[in-house]
Amino acid sequence: MNRIEVIQKLTPIFRKVFSRPDLELSEAMCANDVESWTSLTHMTMIVMVEEDFGIEFKLRDIKKMKQVGDLIDIILSKID
Amino acid sequence: MSFTSLEYLFYFPLIVAVYNLLPKNARLYFLLAVSYFSMAMMKPGFLVMLLLSSAVTYAFAILIERAEIERKRSVLLYSGISMVILPLLFFKNINLVAEALTATLQSIGITSEIALSSWVLPLGISYYTFMAIGYLVDVYNEEVRAEYNPSKVGLFMSFFPIVFSGPIERSGNMFPQFSRMEGSKLEDIKAGIKLMIWGYFMKFCVADRISVYIDPIFGNFQNYYGSTFTLASLLVPIRQYADLGGYSLLAIGTARCMGFSIVPNFGRPFMATSLAGLWRRWHMSFINWLLDYVYTPISFTLRRKTKLVVPISLLAVFLLSAVWHSMDVKHLFWCFSQVLILSLEAALLTKREHFEDKFGLKSNRYYHILTSIIVYVLFAGTLIFSSTNCLEGSFTIFRRIFFGENWNVMYFNLEATILAGCSIVILFLKDLFEECNYRFPVLESENIIIKLTGYAILICYIIVFGVFNNTSFIYFKF
């Protein structure tokens, strides 16, 4: 799986969790860019990503996720 | 040496001047000496506590980094956290310990008062303890490297602008700045002084001016009626904001004059359109600390176990915050009211977004104003629990606001109202202009003469209309 495929798989998750049907993901996107991406909705997104990709994050991974690009790096490291 | 003391206005330019005149490699030790001296001036015992905590933090960060086995790293992390947090827990609960001991002694027939209450909470202990915990966790999570220079760890824990009342800094922001120490540029000094002038304005003209009106009301709640309580309760959030926000600007401004960049503590909280949004702008360094080191670990651990992740994690955060502010029942009510509103907000977030999209409200300024006012009133309502000296007082206030008689009897002081009102309007306009990315008239003018005149007028305003008989800050006691 490459980065573009990961973004394609992440997009419907983000659109659903953050209630933004037209959301276009980019690697530089962070919580400040999406109004409903708060500490309260963040964990819902994490659970859905874990389920969809069949992976499990560690707390240390969560701390490293500053933007979507970091999330993709961590997902790819877990899939490989 | 408080920011609001006259001595500070004398020593502060001296400290900045000496800091800049010293060679680069001596600056770290100079700031360390100033910071330790400031602490010792308060009480030598406070410095001893700070030194012990710094030594423990220094040693455990290195031990955590050097440990290769994960289990050993965890044990070292929890041991380090326990050792730095123990003095805070002890001093915070010293009166409870004294009462329990007295009651136990009485139960076996010995009647003596345990005089532990004379033990004062060491100044700044909450703030350097939070910073130490953050540093140890960040080293454990490999977000920062352990610092091997004990002077840098010592300065991180004791840095005089922030040690007494925050903002709560992170090692990842401070250690690189301690390594650079290039000195102040003219831009830094200008920006720092501007922040400090606003800090003094918020403290003397807004916070302390409002305190003159509301402190007697909450202190003698039996003597006042609904209309007075309504006005006083609505003023509490502004007073809290101006007091801690003003202090924070003085701290950030002081550090900025020496070229240091400190995290902001407030981000125009009353422009928020949800309570969650308000908390993201309120006492930000503390809230972010709670989010990173309490909320996230709890919600991550519970993420698959329960659908109540948000309420449970919020409850843990606000319980901790309530216990830190004061271990009493009224703060627990404050905590539960916050958790209830925030959980409802989280549960209704999607519905609210759909509603706003359907009626095109997101860009409607009147809707923004209305929601900001609702959030402000809700926030003010919850603060009633923490404003009185007992839970009975809070309930009396609620009762008199909603069901009370004599609503036409109002404690009102025209002079105080005009002075406080003018200052609140200036503060509100400052926040509004910043929120809208507009330049504040006169004070942000591109014409240097107009700008200087504006700041000179603001300084005169502070001197003439400020209240100078209360030089302590609310958050010093935490």
Short mmCIF file of all heavy atoms in Angstrom, two decimals, chain B residues 35-91:
data_model
loop_
_atom_site.label_atom_id
_atom_site.label_comp_id
_atom_site.label_asym_id
_atom_site.label_seq_id
_atom_site.Cartn_x
_atom_site.Cartn_y
_atom_site.Cartn_z
N SER B 35 16.72 33.33 39.08
CA SER B 35 15.52 32.53 39.36
C SER B 35 15.58 31.95 40.77
O SER B 35 14.59 31.99 41.51
CB SER B 35 15.39 31.39 38.34
OG SER B 35 15.29 31.92 37.05
N TYR B 36 16.74 31.40 41.15
CA TYR B 36 16.88 30.82 42.49
C TYR B 36 16.79 31.92 43.56
O TYR B 36 16.19 31.72 44.62
CB TYR B 36 18.21 30.07 42.62
CG TYR B 36 18.20 28.71 41.95
CD1 TYR B 36 19.39 28.03 41.68
CD2 TYR B 36 17.00 28.09 41.60
CE1 TYR B 36 19.38 26.78 41.08
CE2 TYR B 36 16.98 26.84 40.99
CZ TYR B 36 18.17 26.19 40.73
OH TYR B 36 18.15 24.96 40.13
N PHE B 37 17.36 33.08 43.26
CA PHE B 37 17.31 34.19 44.21
C PHE B 37 15.85 34.64 44.42
O PHE B 37 15.42 34.87 45.55
CB PHE B 37 18.17 35.35 43.70
CG PHE B 37 18.22 36.52 44.63
CD1 PHE B 37 18.94 36.45 45.82
CD2 PHE B 37 17.54 37.71 44.34
CE1 PHE B 37 18.97 37.53 46.70
CE2 PHE B 37 17.57 38.79 45.21
CZ PHE B 37 18.29 38.70 46.39
N SER B 38 15.09 34.75 43.30
CA SER B 38 13.67 35.15 43.40
C SER B 38 12.91 34.19 44.29
O SER B 38 12.07 34.60 45.11
CB SER B 38 12.99 35.16 42.03
OG SER B 38 13.72 35.90 41.13
N MET B 39 13.19 32.89 44.13
CA MET B 39 12.48 31.88 44.92
C MET B 39 12.90 31.97 46.39
O MET B 39 12.05 31.93 47.29
CB MET B 39 12.79 30.49 44.35
CG MET B 39 11.99 29.36 44.93
SD MET B 39 10.21 29.56 44.76
CE MET B 39 9.88 28.83 43.18
N ALA B 40 14.19 32.12 46.62
CA ALA B 40 14.69 32.18 48.00
C ALA B 40 14.18 33.42 48.73
O ALA B 40 13.97 33.40 49.94
CB ALA B 40 16.21 32.16 48.01
N MET B 41 13.98 34.51 47.97
CA MET B 41 13.46 35.75 48.57
C MET B 41 12.06 35.52 49.15
O MET B 41 11.66 36.16 50.12
CB MET B 41 13.37 36.86 47.52
CG MET B 41 14.71 37.45 47.13
SD MET B 41 15.33 38.56 48.38
CE MET B 41 14.32 39.99 48.06
N MET B 42 11.28 34.64 48.50
CA MET B 42 9.94 34.34 48.99
C MET B 42 10.03 33.58 50.32
O MET B 42 9.34 33.88 51.27
CB MET B 42 9.16 33.49 47.98
CG MET B 42 8.94 34.18 46.65
SD MET B 42 7.78 35.54 46.84
CE MET B 42 7.68 36.14 45.16
N LYS B 43 10.87 32.56 50.33
CA LYS B 43 11.14 31.77 51.54
C LYS B 43 12.26 30.79 51.18
O LYS B 43 12.13 30.06 50.18
CB LYS B 43 9.87 30.99 51.94
CG LYS B 43 9.73 30.77 53.42
CD LYS B 43 8.37 30.18 53.72
CE LYS B 43 8.15 30.20 55.22
NZ LYS B 43 6.90 29.59 55.60
N PRO B 44 13.34 30.74 51.94
CA PRO B 44 14.44 29.83 51.58
C PRO B 44 13.97 28.38 51.44
O PRO B 44 14.48 27.64 50.60
CB PRO B 44 15.42 29.99 52.75
CG PRO B 44 15.14 31.34 53.31
CD PRO B 44 13.67 31.57 53.12
N GLY B 45 12.98 27.98 52.26
CA GLY B 45 12.48 26.61 52.19
C GLY B 45 11.89 26.28 50.82
O GLY B 45 11.97 25.14 50.35
N PHE B 46 11.28 27.29 50.17
CA PHE B 46 10.71 27.07 48.83
C PHE B 46 11.81 26.67 47.84
O PHE B 46 11.60 25.84 46.98
CB PHE B 46 10.03 28.35 48.32
CG PHE B 46 8.80 28.76 49.09
CD1 PHE B 46 8.17 29.96 48.80
CD2 PHE B 46 8.27 27.95 50.08
CE1 PHE B 46 7.03 30.34 49.49
CE2 PHE B 46 7.13 28.32 50.78
CZ PHE B 46 6.52 29.53 50.49
N LEU B 47 12.99 27.31 48.01
CA LEU B 47 14.11 27.01 47.10
C LEU B 47 14.60 25.58 47.33
O LEU B 47 14.92 24.87 46.37
CB LEU B 47 15.25 28.02 47.31
CG LEU B 47 16.48 27.79 46.44
CD1 LEU B 47 16.15 27.88 44.95
CD2 LEU B 47 17.59 28.80 46.77
N VAL B 48 14.61 25.15 48.57
CA VAL B 48 15.06 23.78 48.88
C VAL B 48 14.14 22.78 48.18
O VAL B 48 14.60 21.83 47.54
CB VAL B 48 15.07 23.54 50.41
CG1 VAL B 48 15.43 22.09 50.73
CG2 VAL B 48 16.05 24.50 51.09
N MET B 49 12.81 23.03 48.27
CA MET B 49 11.85 22.14 47.61
C MET B 49 12.09 22.10 46.10
O MET B 49 12.08 21.03 45.49
CB MET B 49 10.42 22.64 47.84
CG MET B 49 9.89 22.53 49.24
SD MET B 49 9.84 20.86 49.84
CE MET B 49 8.94 20.06 48.56
N LEU B 50 12.32 23.26 45.54
CA LEU B 50 12.54 23.37 44.08
C LEU B 50 13.81 22.61 43.69
O LEU B 50 13.83 21.88 42.69
CB LEU B 50 12.64 24.85 43.69
CG LEU B 50 13.02 25.17 42.25
CD1 LEU B 50 11.97 24.66 41.28
CD2 LEU B 50 13.19 26.67 42.06
N LEU B 51 14.87 22.77 44.48
CA LEU B 51 16.14 22.11 44.16
C LEU B 51 15.98 20.59 44.23
O LEU B 51 16.49 19.87 43.36
CB LEU B 51 17.23 22.57 45.14
CG LEU B 51 17.75 23.99 44.92
CD1 LEU B 51 18.65 24.41 46.07
CD2 LEU B 51 18.50 24.11 43.60
N LEU B 52 15.27 20.12 45.25
CA LEU B 52 15.07 18.66 45.39
C LEU B 52 14.30 18.12 44.19
O LEU B 52 14.66 17.10 43.60
CB LEU B 52 14.29 18.37 46.68
CG LEU B 52 15.08 18.46 47.98
CD1 LEU B 52 14.16 18.31 49.18
CD2 LEU B 52 16.18 17.39 48.02
N SER B 53 13.22 18.84 43.84
CA SER B 53 12.39 18.39 42.72
C SER B 53 13.20 18.40 41.42
O SER B 53 13.08 17.49 40.59
CB SER B 53 11.17 19.31 42.61
OG SER B 53 10.23 18.75 41.78
N SER B 54 14.02 19.43 41.23
CA SER B 54 14.84 19.53 40.02
C SER B 54 15.83 18.37 39.95
O SER B 54 16.05 17.79 38.88
CB SER B 54 15.61 20.86 40.00
OG SER B 54 14.73 21.94 40.09
N ALA B 55 16.44 18.04 41.11
CA ALA B 55 17.44 16.97 41.13
C ALA B 55 16.78 15.63 40.77
O ALA B 55 17.33 14.86 39.97
CB ALA B 55 18.07 16.89 42.52
N VAL B 56 15.60 15.38 41.32
CA VAL B 56 14.88 14.13 41.03
C VAL B 56 14.54 14.07 39.53
O VAL B 56 14.74 13.06 38.86
CB VAL B 56 13.59 14.03 41.88
CG1 VAL B 56 12.69 12.90 41.41
CG2 VAL B 56 13.95 13.86 43.35
N THR B 57 14.03 15.19 39.01
CA THR B 57 13.63 15.24 37.59
C THR B 57 14.85 15.00 36.69
O THR B 57 14.78 14.22 35.73
CB THR B 57 13.01 16.61 37.27
OG1 THR B 57 11.98 16.87 38.21
CG2 THR B 57 12.44 16.65 35.87
N TYR B 58 15.95 15.66 37.01
CA TYR B 58 17.18 15.52 36.21
C TYR B 58 17.62 14.06 36.18
O TYR B 58 17.87 13.50 35.11
CB TYR B 58 18.28 16.40 36.84
CG TYR B 58 19.64 16.21 36.22
CD1 TYR B 58 19.96 16.79 35.00
CD2 TYR B 58 20.61 15.44 36.87
CE1 TYR B 58 21.21 16.62 34.44
CE2 TYR B 58 21.87 15.26 36.31
CZ TYR B 58 22.17 15.85 35.09
OH TYR B 58 23.40 15.66 34.53
N ALA B 59 17.68 13.44 37.35
CA ALA B 59 18.19 12.07 37.45
C ALA B 59 17.26 11.07 36.75
O ALA B 59 17.71 10.23 35.96
CB ALA B 59 18.36 11.70 38.92
N PHE B 60 15.95 11.19 37.00
CA PHE B 60 15.03 10.20 36.44
C PHE B 60 14.90 10.31 34.92
O PHE B 60 14.73 9.31 34.24
CB PHE B 60 13.66 10.29 37.13
CG PHE B 60 13.57 9.43 38.34
CD1 PHE B 60 13.99 9.90 39.58
CD2 PHE B 60 13.14 8.12 38.25
CE1 PHE B 60 13.95 9.10 40.71
CE2 PHE B 60 13.08 7.30 39.37
CZ PHE B 60 13.50 7.79 40.61
N ALA B 61 15.00 11.52 34.37
CA ALA B 61 14.94 11.66 32.91
C ALA B 61 16.10 10.89 32.27
O ALA B 61 15.91 10.17 31.28
CB ALA B 61 14.99 13.14 32.53
N ILE B 62 17.28 11.01 32.85
CA ILE B 62 18.45 10.31 32.30
C ILE B 62 18.30 8.80 32.48
O ILE B 62 18.55 8.02 31.56
CB ILE B 62 19.75 10.83 32.97
CG1 ILE B 62 20.01 12.28 32.51
CG2 ILE B 62 20.93 9.95 32.62
CD1 ILE B 62 21.14 12.97 33.23
N LEU B 63 17.82 8.39 33.66
CA LEU B 63 17.64 6.95 33.91
C LEU B 63 16.61 6.35 32.94
O LEU B 63 16.81 5.26 32.42
CB LEU B 63 17.17 6.73 35.36
CG LEU B 63 18.22 6.96 36.46
CD1 LEU B 63 17.58 6.89 37.83
CD2 LEU B 63 19.36 5.95 36.34
N ILE B 64 15.52 7.09 32.69
CA ILE B 64 14.48 6.59 31.76
C ILE B 64 15.08 6.42 30.37
O ILE B 64 14.88 5.42 29.69
CB ILE B 64 13.26 7.54 31.73
CG1 ILE B 64 12.50 7.50 33.04
CG2 ILE B 64 12.32 7.19 30.57
CD1 ILE B 64 11.48 8.62 33.24
N GLU B 65 15.84 7.42 29.94
CA GLU B 65 16.41 7.36 28.58
C GLU B 65 17.42 6.21 28.46
O GLU B 65 17.49 5.55 27.42
CB GLU B 65 17.08 8.69 28.24
CG GLU B 65 17.51 8.74 26.77
CD GLU B 65 18.02 10.12 26.39
OE1 GLU B 65 19.15 10.46 26.76
OE2 GLU B 65 17.28 10.83 25.71
N ARG B 66 18.17 5.97 29.52
CA ARG B 66 19.22 4.94 29.44
C ARG B 66 18.66 3.52 29.56
O ARG B 66 19.29 2.57 29.11
CB ARG B 66 20.24 5.17 30.55
CG ARG B 66 21.21 6.30 30.21
CD ARG B 66 22.25 6.41 31.29
NE ARG B 66 23.21 7.47 31.00
CZ ARG B 66 24.14 7.88 31.83
NH1 ARG B 66 24.24 7.32 33.02
NH2 ARG B 66 24.97 8.84 31.50
N ALA B 67 17.50 3.38 30.20
CA ALA B 67 16.93 2.03 30.40
C ALA B 67 16.54 1.43 29.05
O ALA B 67 15.92 2.09 28.23
CB ALA B 67 15.71 2.12 31.31
N GLU B 68 16.92 0.19 28.86
CA GLU B 68 16.65 -0.44 27.56
C GLU B 68 15.39 -1.30 27.59
O GLU B 68 14.72 -1.47 26.57
CB GLU B 68 17.86 -1.27 27.13
CG GLU B 68 18.99 -0.37 26.64
CD GLU B 68 20.28 -1.10 26.44
OE1 GLU B 68 20.31 -2.33 26.59
OE2 GLU B 68 21.27 -0.41 26.12
N ILE B 69 15.08 -1.86 28.74
CA ILE B 69 13.89 -2.73 28.82
C ILE B 69 12.66 -1.86 29.08
O ILE B 69 12.67 -0.99 29.96
CB ILE B 69 14.06 -3.77 29.96
CG1 ILE B 69 15.37 -4.55 29.74
CG2 ILE B 69 12.89 -4.73 30.02
CD1 ILE B 69 15.88 -5.24 30.97
N GLU B 70 11.59 -2.13 28.30
CA GLU B 70 10.38 -1.30 28.39
C GLU B 70 9.80 -1.28 29.80
O GLU B 70 9.39 -0.23 30.31
CB GLU B 70 9.35 -1.85 27.39
CG GLU B 70 8.09 -1.02 27.24
CD GLU B 70 8.33 0.40 26.72
OE1 GLU B 70 9.31 0.62 25.98
OE2 GLU B 70 7.55 1.30 27.09
N ARG B 71 9.79 -2.45 30.43
CA ARG B 71 9.20 -2.53 31.78
C ARG B 71 9.98 -1.65 32.77
O ARG B 71 9.40 -0.96 33.60
CB ARG B 71 9.21 -4.00 32.23
CG ARG B 71 8.47 -4.20 33.52
CD ARG B 71 8.19 -5.65 33.86
NE ARG B 71 7.77 -5.75 35.25
CZ ARG B 71 6.62 -5.33 35.71
NH1 ARG B 71 5.73 -4.83 34.88
NH2 ARG B 71 6.31 -5.44 36.99
N LYS B 72 11.32 -1.67 32.62
CA LYS B 72 12.15 -0.87 33.53
C LYS B 72 11.90 0.62 33.30
O LYS B 72 11.85 1.42 34.23
CB LYS B 72 13.63 -1.21 33.27
CG LYS B 72 14.55 -0.65 34.34
CD LYS B 72 15.99 -1.04 34.06
CE LYS B 72 16.91 -0.30 35.03
NZ LYS B 72 18.31 -0.43 34.65
N ARG B 73 11.69 0.97 32.01
CA ARG B 73 11.41 2.37 31.66
C ARG B 73 10.11 2.82 32.34
O ARG B 73 10.03 3.92 32.89
CB ARG B 73 11.29 2.54 30.14
CG ARG B 73 12.62 2.49 29.40
CD ARG B 73 12.40 2.29 27.92
NE ARG B 73 11.60 3.35 27.32
CZ ARG B 73 12.07 4.52 26.93
NH1 ARG B 73 13.34 4.78 27.06
NH2 ARG B 73 11.28 5.42 26.39
N SER B 74 9.08 1.93 32.27
CA SER B 74 7.77 2.28 32.89
C SER B 74 7.93 2.45 34.40
O SER B 74 7.40 3.41 34.97
CB SER B 74 6.74 1.18 32.64
OG SER B 74 6.57 1.00 31.28
N VAL B 75 8.66 1.50 35.02
CA VAL B 75 8.83 1.58 36.48
C VAL B 75 9.55 2.89 36.85
O VAL B 75 9.14 3.59 37.78
CB VAL B 75 9.64 0.35 36.99
CG1 VAL B 75 10.02 0.54 38.46
CG2 VAL B 75 8.83 -0.92 36.82
N LEU B 76 10.58 3.23 36.07
CA LEU B 76 11.32 4.47 36.35
C LEU B 76 10.43 5.69 36.16
O LEU B 76 10.48 6.65 36.94
CB LEU B 76 12.55 4.56 35.44
CG LEU B 76 13.73 3.67 35.84
CD1 LEU B 76 14.76 3.59 34.72
CD2 LEU B 76 14.39 4.22 37.12
N LEU B 77 9.59 5.65 35.09
CA LEU B 77 8.69 6.79 34.84
C LEU B 77 7.75 7.00 36.02
O LEU B 77 7.63 8.11 36.55
CB LEU B 77 7.89 6.56 33.55
CG LEU B 77 6.81 7.61 33.27
CD1 LEU B 77 7.44 8.95 32.90
CD2 LEU B 77 5.87 7.16 32.15
N TYR B 78 7.08 5.91 36.43
CA TYR B 78 6.11 6.05 37.51
C TYR B 78 6.79 6.40 38.84
O TYR B 78 6.24 7.15 39.65
CB TYR B 78 5.26 4.78 37.63
CG TYR B 78 4.31 4.64 36.45
CD1 TYR B 78 4.39 3.58 35.57
CD2 TYR B 78 3.36 5.64 36.20
CE1 TYR B 78 3.54 3.49 34.46
CE2 TYR B 78 2.51 5.55 35.11
CZ TYR B 78 2.60 4.48 34.24
OH TYR B 78 1.78 4.41 33.16
N SER B 79 8.02 5.87 39.05
CA SER B 79 8.75 6.22 40.28
C SER B 79 9.09 7.71 40.27
O SER B 79 8.91 8.41 41.27
CB SER B 79 10.05 5.41 40.39
OG SER B 79 9.79 4.07 40.21
N GLY B 80 9.58 8.19 39.13
CA GLY B 80 9.96 9.60 39.01
C GLY B 80 8.76 10.51 39.22
O GLY B 80 8.82 11.49 39.98
N ILE B 81 7.63 10.16 38.57
CA ILE B 81 6.42 10.98 38.71
C ILE B 81 5.96 10.98 40.17
O ILE B 81 5.62 12.03 40.73
CB ILE B 81 5.29 10.46 37.78
CG1 ILE B 81 5.63 10.75 36.32
CG2 ILE B 81 3.95 11.10 38.12
CD1 ILE B 81 4.65 10.19 35.31
N SER B 82 5.98 9.79 40.81
CA SER B 82 5.54 9.71 42.21
C SER B 82 6.40 10.61 43.08
O SER B 82 5.89 11.30 43.97
CB SER B 82 5.65 8.27 42.74
OG SER B 82 4.96 7.42 41.89
N MET B 83 7.72 10.59 42.85
CA MET B 83 8.61 11.37 43.70
C MET B 83 8.42 12.88 43.53
O MET B 83 8.52 13.63 44.49
CB MET B 83 10.07 10.98 43.45
CG MET B 83 10.40 9.64 44.08
SD MET B 83 12.06 9.11 43.77
CE MET B 83 12.97 10.20 44.84
N VAL B 84 8.15 13.32 42.30
CA VAL B 84 7.98 14.78 42.12
C VAL B 84 6.58 15.24 42.54
O VAL B 84 6.41 16.39 42.95
CB VAL B 84 8.30 15.28 40.68
CG1 VAL B 84 9.76 15.16 40.37
CG2 VAL B 84 7.46 14.62 39.63
N ILE B 85 5.60 14.34 42.46
CA ILE B 85 4.23 14.76 42.77
C ILE B 85 3.93 14.66 44.28
O ILE B 85 3.03 15.34 44.78
CB ILE B 85 3.19 13.95 41.95
CG1 ILE B 85 1.95 14.81 41.70
CG2 ILE B 85 2.82 12.64 42.62
CD1 ILE B 85 0.99 14.23 40.70
N LEU B 86 4.69 13.85 44.99
CA LEU B 86 4.45 13.63 46.42
C LEU B 86 4.46 14.93 47.23
O LEU B 86 3.52 15.17 48.02
CB LEU B 86 5.49 12.64 46.97
CG LEU B 86 4.96 11.68 48.03
CD1 LEU B 86 3.84 10.81 47.49
CD2 LEU B 86 6.10 10.82 48.58
N PRO B 87 5.47 15.80 47.08
CA PRO B 87 5.44 17.06 47.86
C PRO B 87 4.21 17.90 47.55
O PRO B 87 3.62 18.50 48.45
CB PRO B 87 6.72 17.78 47.40
CG PRO B 87 7.58 16.74 46.82
CD PRO B 87 6.69 15.69 46.27
N LEU B 88 3.78 17.93 46.27
CA LEU B 88 2.59 18.72 45.90
C LEU B 88 1.36 18.18 46.62
O LEU B 88 0.58 18.93 47.21
CB LEU B 88 2.39 18.69 44.37
CG LEU B 88 1.14 19.39 43.84
CD1 LEU B 88 1.16 20.87 44.12
CD2 LEU B 88 0.98 19.16 42.34
N LEU B 89 1.19 16.84 46.57
CA LEU B 89 0.03 16.22 47.24
C LEU B 89 0.08 16.49 48.74
O LEU B 89 -0.94 16.79 49.37
CB LEU B 89 0.00 14.71 46.97
CG LEU B 89 -0.27 14.29 45.53
CD1 LEU B 89 -0.18 12.79 45.40
CD2 LEU B 89 -1.65 14.78 45.09
N PHE B 90 1.28 16.39 49.31
CA PHE B 90 1.44 16.58 50.75
C PHE B 90 1.04 18.00 51.15
O PHE B 90 0.20 18.21 52.02
CB PHE B 90 2.89 16.30 51.16
CG PHE B 90 3.17 16.59 52.60
CD1 PHE B 90 2.74 15.71 53.60
CD2 PHE B 90 3.84 17.74 52.98
CE1 PHE B 90 2.98 15.99 54.93
CE2 PHE B 90 4.09 18.02 54.32
CZ PHE B 90 3.66 17.13 55.30
N PHE B 91 1.61 19.00 50.46
CA PHE B 91 1.34 20.38 50.85
C PHE B 91 -0.08 20.81 50.51
O PHE B 91 -0.68 21.62 51.21
CB PHE B 91 2.35 21.33 50.19
CG PHE B 91 3.68 21.32 50.88
CD1 PHE B 91 4.75 20.63 50.34
CD2 PHE B 91 3.86 21.98 52.08
CE1 PHE B 91 5.97 20.61 50.99
CE2 PHE B 91 5.08 21.97 52.74
CZ PHE B 91 6.15 21.28 52.19
#
